[in-house]
Amino acid sequence: MEIPFQDSAALEAFALPFIRGEKKPATAAELMASRYVAYATGEIDYLIETHDPKTRGETDRKSTEEWSKRSEWKGLEIVRTEAGGPNDEEGQVEFIARYSLAGLDHKHHELSDFRKIDGRWYFVNGEKVSAPPVRRVGEKVGRNDPCPCGSGKKSKKCCAA
């Protein structure tokens, strides 16, 4: 499901009714978006409240609050969803949250699991999505092969040194 916004103001306007308790997210993606806004606005109680009741006690409130407040939140991209619709009981949301911390830009790429309990969506857990490994395009240069820079020296005595 697509979340209907392109900028931070629209995202916040979309999510605040969920955070205030005026509405319940109908989908896992809506809960994900509202949790992002909760991080961005420091609404730690909402983050704890929307965490799976089975593991809620494992949430480190202090570090969550510190990360929320110290970061400058720059945007959310929902990459894809699997299930997690209004009629589902479970779903996954892959997302990228962009933020700055201590002057450095970061992106948090995660695949999160969600579960509906008594008609309400909860965050269960998330797993970081790693970038694909870098693949070599050209041939591997051995230590005793001529250096590709054209010096005529062996690689181990030239650029590989």
Side-chain angles (χ1 to χ4, degrees):
M1 165 169 194
E2 286 292 318
I3 301 297
F5 43 73
Q6 293 297 321
D7 60 53
S8 295
L11 172 58
E12 192 169 320
F14 172 80
L16 283 177
F18 301 129
I19 294 170
R20 292 185 195 127
E22 298 165 2
K23 290 174 61 177
K24 289 183 186 175
T27 68
E30 288 180 353
L31 179 59
M32 179 62 247
S34 67
R35 285 177 57 86
Y36 170 84
V37 171
Y39 273 107
T41 58
E43 295 289 342
I44 308 308
D45 288 340
Y46 182 77
L47 293 168
I48 304 288
E49 177 185 305
T50 57
H51 201 286
D52 187 344
K54 290 180 183 177
T55 56
R56 186 178 293 156
E58 299 170 14
T59 304
D60 184 345
R61 181 186 181 88
K62 185 178 178 184
S63 66
T64 300
E65 190 168 8
E66 284 177 12
W67 186 39
S68 168
K69 289 182 178 179
R70 290 179 48 216
S71 299
E72 179 185 346
W73 298 90
K74 303 219 173 197
L76 173 69
E77 175 187 347
I78 303 287
V79 176
R80 68 178 179 88
T81 61
E82 187 174 312
N87 299 319
D88 295 318
E89 296 298 314
E90 294 182 345
Q92 286 189 319
V93 178
E94 182 179 349
F95 69 93
I96 300 171
R98 290 181 170 73
Y99 64 98
S100 290
L101 183 62
L104 298 173
D105 288 338
H106 299 273
K107 71 177 189 176
H108 180 82
H109 191 173
E110 183 175 301
L111 180 60
S112 294
D113 295 319
F114 294 86
R115 178 180 308 137
K116 195 186 292 183
I117 302 170
D118 296 329
R120 184 172 178 186
W121 283 103
Y122 292 91
F123 167 78
V124 176
N125 63 31
E127 200 172 295
K128 186 176 177 181
V129 176
S130 299
V134 176
R135 303 246 186 248
R136 183 184 339 267
V137 176
E139 287 185 37
K140 181 177 177 181
V141 178
R143 291 175 35 86
N144 291 318
D145 291 338
C147 190
C149 76
S151 69
K153 297 179 182 177
K154 289 184 180 184
S155 180
K156 68 181 177 185
K157 299 280 187 179
C158 191
C159 294

